[in-house]
Amino acid sequence: MSVLYKRVALIGLGLIASSMSLAMRRAGVAGEITGYARSVETRNIARDLGLVDHVCESAADAVKDADLVILAVPVGAMGAVMQDIAPALKKGAVVSDVGSVKKDIFASVLPHLPEGVEFIGTHPMAGTEHSGPTSGFAELFDNRWCLIVPTETSSDAEILRLETFWQALGANTKHMDADHHDLVCAVVSHTPHLIAYTMVGVADDLSRVTDQEVIEFSAAGFRDFTRIAASDPTMWRDVFLSNKEATLEILGRFTEELFALQRAIRQGDGDHLHEYFTRTRAIRRGIV
Ligand code: NAD
């Protein structure tokens, strides 16, 4: 694949940015990659690992002359980072984010976008429960969805170039508007994380009574189900605060389903439970 952007700047050097850097090198789509992270420790690790071509001491330095800037910081930090880099962006640059929420990010970054710079949202639907610069790997996006969420500042030509870029990183792409994105992600990603965190909290609460044995003997089902509860607390705090409306909608629906199952168990309604599990198993088996 030929170079799509001469210079790409990564702001934030955690799981997603470090994986992007490795995948960009694998694909040969970036001429030069610069990077910046807020913490000195992260910058030093990125330097030691040779994660990007230049680790810069400020976000403004990293984005200078960049054709593509990727904001890969927690959702709650996007607006401040955009404000910080805005004066250093060159005309014709494209700024993009990889945040897990879209409406709130657009509201916080677009007011700071300078004339002559485009903003296109993206969300690679790929991740692990690990975070930080050492957790990245080039294959993270292979055969995963990357949702492309244009804004009113995005041109068709730049949307197409960014889409080609994500495909080169291994992802399948799909366009979505911000409202729909936030609702879909509340179902398939955000609420499941909240429920996983809650289940670990329930086990911990019970363990206080049973002398730690619930956690100690946690079975395969519990381990599989709660793997994502090992994810970064800052990232997930920001996701729920930013995607409040959609998460509360899905949580309301989840609670209704749960109450119906609770009632069926109390009433010994095996038919209801069997019919429910048969239907949901068929749906789950259809998901590869
Ligand atoms: P991470 O915790 O691994 O990395 C975050 C990075 O941002 C760190 O390098 C940190 O030093 C840096 N940072 C934090 N605040 C900053 C600031 N104000 N200025 C500059 N740098 C700052 O997180 P991640 O998993 O790579 O997530 C990054 C973004 O990608 C988040 O918005 C998240 O919602 C989104 N995302 C995450 C996943 C996932 O599963 N982890 C999946 C898709 C999208």
Side-chain angles (χ1 to χ4, degrees):
M1 167 68 74
S2 56
V3 169
L4 287 168
Y5 299 96
K6 269 203 232 154
R7 195 173 164 118
V8 178
L10 297 168
I11 308 300
L13 291 169
L15 168 71
I16 299 295
S18 57
S19 298
M20 285 184 74
S21 190
L22 298 169
M24 277 189 263
R25 282 183 175 158
R26 183 185 68 173
V29 286
E32 192 179 36
I33 307 169
T34 60
Y36 169 77
R38 188 180 48 173
S39 94
V40 181
E41 194 194 346
T42 302
R43 295 202 295 274
N44 287 339
I45 294 171
R47 244 181 230 114
D48 291 347
L49 291 174
L51 213 50
V52 294
D53 301 319
H54 306 287
V55 176
C56 302
E57 287 305 301
S58 74
D61 264 355
V63 306
K64 213 165 54 185
D65 295 326
D67 305 289
L68 174 65
V69 176
I70 304 284
L71 308 182
V73 297
V75 171
M78 297 276 182
V81 169
M82 185 69 220
Q83 190 170 13
D84 189 25
I85 62 170
L89 292 167
K90 75 169 181 187
K91 278 226 177 331
V94 171
V95 182
S96 182
D97 75 288
V98 291
S100 309
V101 170
K102 285 290 163 271
K103 265 198 304 184
D104 224 52
I105 290 180
F106 290 175
S108 68
V109 300
L110 292 181
H112 305 296
L113 196 71
E115 255 329 286
V117 176
E118 295 188 22
F119 193 94
I120 305 168
T122 63
H123 181 191
M125 303 285 290
T128 69
E129 66 279 28
H130 304 295
S131 55
T134 55
S135 53
F137 53 101
E139 300 77 21
L140 180 65
F141 311 110
D142 287 352
N143 299 315
R144 307 300 297 270
W145 285 109
C146 180
L147 304 177
I148 309 283
V149 188
T151 69
E152 64 273 22
T153 72
S154 321
S155 68
D156 288 349
E158 290 302 345
I159 294 169
L160 184 63
R161 179 152 65 142
L162 193 59
E163 200 168 353
T164 309
F165 168 84
W166 273 105
Q167 287 166 359
L169 267 50
N172 303 314
T173 55
K174 192 169 176 62
H175 288 216
M176 232 176 232
D177 70 44
D179 274 313
H180 193 58
H181 167 277
D182 288 0
L183 186 66
V184 167
C185 289
V187 184
V188 301
S189 171
H190 305 167
T191 310
H193 275 81
L194 194 74
I195 296 164
Y197 278 121
T198 312
M199 205 56 229
V200 176
V202 171
D204 178 49
D205 197 35
L206 194 63
S207 273
R208 288 186 199 153
V209 183
T210 60
D211 207 14
Q212 283 299 310
E213 69 179 1
V214 174
I215 298 285
E216 200 176 318
F217 297 128
S218 63
F222 183 84
R223 283 172 182 269
D224 286 353
F225 178 72
T226 59
R227 179 186 57 79
I228 53 178
S231 303
D232 185 66
T234 305
M235 172 185 156
W236 286 100
R237 176 202 61 193
D238 285 6
V239 167
F240 292 116
L241 294 180
S242 305
N243 201 16
K244 197 186 271 186
E245 199 185 319
T247 309
L248 291 177
E249 166 67 22
I250 300 306
L251 215 46
R253 288 167 183 254
F254 174 77
T255 315
E256 280 174 21
E257 300 273 313
L258 201 60
F259 279 154
L261 292 175
Q262 188 181 24
R263 189 179 165 82
I265 293 168
R266 182 181 299 112
Q267 295 182 336
D269 187 351
D271 288 347
H272 178 88
L273 294 174
H274 193 266
E275 182 277 324
Y276 193 90
F277 297 152
T278 304
R279 183 165 59 82
T280 52
R281 179 180 73 165
I283 296 165
R284 179 61 185 87
R285 283 188 166 175
I287 303 171
V288 269

